Amino acid sequence: YIVGMVTFTCFHYSACDDHSIELPPFDAEKEQLPIVKVWKAKAPWDAPPENFYSADATGSFANCERSFTPIHERDASFDTNPTPDDGTIKVSCHNIFYRAPREAIKNAGKLIVGVLSAASGSGPSRRNYIRSTWASHEYFKGTFFLVAGPWEDIKEEFMFYRDLIWINEDEVYQGEQSVLTYKTISFFGIIHEWANSVEGGGFKHAIKTDDDSYVNVEKLRKKLMSSDTSESAEDELHYFGQCPQFQVLPSRDKENKWPVTYQTYPEPKFPLYCQGAGFGLSRYLIQKAAEKNHIANFRYMPFEDVSIGILAERSGYKSTMIAGVHVFRVDTPKERDCVNRAIPMTECYKDDLANWPPDAKIANKIIQHRVADRQDMINIHKSLDLKVNWVGVPIPK
């Protein structure tokens, strides 16, 4: 076996002793990661022997050894025509070139929201729905859209709106090679790098959501303000959202929507994590993840929400369940079944379209996922007695 700073790798079980290893607890004060052993599968579904891991072991403290996906070649024009918005970030041993609106991030204020969105397809329209509704508050300038794909596809939109964070990666969502992890982790790392300090007016909390979600900005701000003024450190929100307080088992079912092979994640459990439709991190957690090189060194995980749980555990933070983050619209067995089978809601409810989309009221919610379309987004916004500031004009050439 190979012994490293934080990873103890068994390339085959016969090469390791058969005694279980008790992992020392993470010492947040000493910033020392525990030594772990990692099963090195020879084939995707080559499972570790029984009792190789403890029952609740996670992959949070395993380091990457190399980039999981090929490094994307950078166009020569980026080197010959650099801009102040250019930068690079390492995520899980993978170097990523990006462009982001530096000054807008610097001056975004106390709250930043990152929205996963596709560069093409329905992405541009969905971004306009958001710009016209919940991101249009005069006092809130912290919404940024996380995109990938060819630079030329979003160049004009980037320059016009100055609210895109673009990474030089392909928009890939095939099995375990997903761009979502790179988008999400890059977002948190970039805004930490470029935003003002908390003391200098920079963000204290950052939210990640999707472009089919509505964020009740005022309710979110009040929730965060109550956390900031709490006298108890336990009440401070560092990692929060729809966060089940039990560990999830990785699916090894090849027919499942989200299977994961033993080569990618051999451990028996995921760490505690918040579901990806809407969760938040404190600046302090992001700072530790970035400055202690957890962002650069954690082992790649294709599920972006689980990857945040990994960074949180490496950084010494636990997730907090808060009320108001709604992953489903009505949370019925039918809706859950369609989501698990990747069936669009319009197809799921094709025989019952009178009940889809459901009630648009959001007054008691912080984030509502699965917004159906433009009209649904508008209806939700108007349910808060807010005006729609429609953004839909063609971008000037």
Side-chain angles (χ1 to χ4, degrees):
Y1 48 81
I2 296 175
V3 178
M5 288 296 292
V6 298
T7 305
F8 175 105
T9 305
C10 299
F11 288 89
H12 196 272
Y13 186 65
S14 60
C16 302
D17 63 61
D18 58 2
H19 296 89
S20 63
I21 294 177
E22 293 296 327
L23 302 183
F26 173 55
D27 190 332
E29 295 299 322
K30 294 181 180 179
E31 305 291 346
Q32 184 175 355
L33 297 179
I35 295 174
V36 299
K37 64 176 182 178
V38 178
W39 170 252
K40 198 73 173 181
K42 291 185 176 181
W45 302 104
D46 180 15
E50 187 177 357
N51 298 324
F52 183 85
Y53 289 109
S54 62
D56 295 326
T58 75
S60 295
F61 300 107
N63 277 359
C64 56
E65 299 175 357
R66 63 188 65 84
S67 175
F68 188 85
T69 60
I71 303 295
H72 203 283
E73 291 296 326
R74 188 162 74 188
D75 191 284
S77 64
F78 294 132
D79 295 320
T80 57
N81 299 296
T83 78
D85 296 326
D86 295 356
T88 59
I89 185 171
K90 180 176 284 188
V91 176
S92 187
C93 293
H94 184 82
N95 291 315
I96 298 172
F97 175 76
Y98 65 83
R99 278 186 171 164
R102 182 187 294 259
E103 287 300 313
I105 292 171
K106 180 179 178 181
N107 299 306
K110 292 292 187 181
L111 173 64
I112 291 180
V113 179
V115 184
L116 283 179
S117 188
S120 56
S122 62
S125 296
R126 289 185 175 183
R127 291 193 286 277
N128 276 344
Y129 305 162
I130 291 172
R131 292 182 182 117
S132 304
T133 54
W134 61 261
S136 65
H137 291 278
E138 293 183 5
Y139 58 81
F140 175 59
K141 303 297 182 184
T143 302
F144 297 93
F145 298 95
L146 321 176
V147 299
W151 167 249
E152 293 300 320
D153 286 358
I154 55 90
K155 177 181 177 181
E156 292 174 353
E157 184 181 357
F158 179 95
M159 299 305 296
F160 184 67
Y161 287 111
R162 305 295 292 171
D163 63 1
L164 300 186
I165 295 177
W166 171 78
I167 64 171
N168 186 34
E169 297 291 329
D170 293 328
E171 288 276 15
V172 176
Y173 308 97
Q174 296 177 353
E176 294 182 344
Q177 295 198 15
S178 170
V179 75
L180 296 182
T181 294
Y182 292 143
K183 280 185 176 182
T184 301
I185 306 295
S186 294
F187 161 66
F188 288 116
I190 291 166
I191 62 173
H192 172 66
E193 178 71 20
W194 283 2
N196 287 328
S197 66
V198 173
E199 296 75 15
F203 79 94
K204 190 170 182 179
H205 293 95
I207 309 298
K208 175 268 160 185
T209 190
D210 299 336
D211 64 5
D212 62 344
S213 294
Y214 186 96
V215 178
N216 187 340
V217 175
E218 186 59 29
K219 193 169 184 66
L220 173 61
R221 281 161 53 94
K222 289 180 178 178
K223 178 66 177 179
L224 296 178
M225 287 174 64
S226 66
S227 167
D228 293 343
T229 57
S230 172
E231 295 181 0
S232 171
E234 294 181 355
D235 292 333
E236 293 184 17
L237 292 174
H238 293 291
Y239 178 32
F240 55 94
Q242 179 69 23
C243 316
Q245 295 301 294
F246 57 86
Q247 288 181 267
V248 175
L249 280 67
S251 173
R252 309 301 184 182
D253 180 358
K254 300 176 187 179
E255 303 302 318
N256 188 275
K257 182 180 178 182
W258 297 288
V260 60
T261 66
Y262 292 104
Q263 283 183 328
T264 297
Y265 194 91
E267 291 79 12
K269 297 261 184 89
F270 288 140
L272 295 176
Y273 68 93
C274 304
Q275 296 185 15
F279 60 81
L281 301 181
S282 72
R283 183 69 174 272
Y284 306 109
L285 190 160
I286 299 170
Q287 179 177 1
K288 185 170 287 187
E291 296 180 3
K292 298 301 178 181
N293 292 320
H294 298 317
I295 287 176
N297 294 333
F298 83 97
R299 190 182 61 200
Y300 175 83
M301 160 50 60
F303 311 142
E304 47 92 14
D305 46 7
V306 177
S307 71
I308 297 296
I310 288 172
L311 289 180
E313 186 169 43
R314 284 178 73 110
S315 302
Y317 290 93
K318 294 182 179 179
S319 61
T320 301
M321 173 78 86
I322 65 170
V325 178
H326 290 249
V327 177
F328 298 97
R329 287 298 288 270
V330 288
D331 200 4
T332 60
K334 180 178 182 178
E335 183 179 2
R336 283 180 173 267
D337 179 63
C338 288
V339 169
N340 289 334
R341 293 191 292 142
I343 299 175
M345 289 299 105
T346 50
E347 176 68 18
C348 184
Y349 283 85
K350 64 181 180 181
D351 298 325
D352 190 22
L353 290 178
N355 292 314
W356 189 267
D359 190 359
K361 293 181 180 178
I362 197 175
N364 295 318
K365 302 176 183 178
I366 295 175
I367 297 175
Q368 176 63 71
H369 189 40
R370 307 195 194 285
V371 177
D373 51 28
R374 173 181 180 269
Q375 192 58 51
D376 193 26
M377 185 75 78
I378 290 172
N379 291 343
I380 293 173
H381 192 65
K382 287 184 174 180
S383 74
L384 296 173
D385 294 324
L386 295 173
K387 180 181 178 182
V388 176
N389 299 304
W390 182 245
V391 174
V393 297
I395 298 172
K397 301 294 184 180

